[in-house]
């Protein structure tokens, strides 16, 4: 049951990193051209994936798959 929750989280994190580096590449490659929207598209994908990851983590906490570590400040 543990791998069923960890695998989607790791895949979404991998896709976030791919989108991050893709946006960095496009930003360097396009060199400030106004007509290119590849950087904006990569940023949109990254933000969407980040929201999806947040939703997955919240669902895992709600369904009891994630528990707080129990350390108090």
């Amino acid at each position: 049951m543990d791998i069923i929750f960890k695998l989607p989280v790791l895949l979404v994190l991998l896709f976030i990193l791919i989108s991050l580096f893709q946006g960095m590449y496009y930003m360097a490659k396009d060199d400030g051209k106004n007509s290119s929207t590849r950087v904006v598209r990569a940023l949109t994908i990254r933000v969407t994936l980040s929201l999806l990851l947040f939703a997955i983590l919240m669902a895992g906490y709600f369904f009891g798959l994630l528990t707080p570590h129990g350390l108090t400040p």
Side-chain angles (χ1 to χ4, degrees):
M1 184 68 174
D2 197 28
I3 192 70
I4 293 173
F5 183 70
K6 286 183 181 179
L7 188 63
V9 169
L10 290 176
L11 283 175
V12 171
L13 278 173
L14 177 69
F15 289 140
I16 289 171
L17 285 175
I18 289 170
S19 177
L20 176 70
F21 286 112
Q22 200 174 37
M24 183 176 64
Y25 174 76
Y26 291 150
M27 188 168 43
K29 181 85 170 165
D30 290 346
D31 203 26
K33 295 177 185 172
N34 290 336
S35 63
S36 180
T37 60
R38 296 190 300 181
V39 176
V40 175
R41 190 176 323 129
L43 176 63
T44 303
I45 290 171
R46 188 168 45 116
V47 168
T48 304
L49 288 172
S50 298
L51 290 173
L52 176 66
L53 178 63
F54 183 72
I56 289 172
L57 291 175
M58 292 301 293
Y61 178 74
F62 180 74
F63 290 118
L65 297 172
L66 290 176
T67 57
H69 51 70
L71 297 177
T72 57

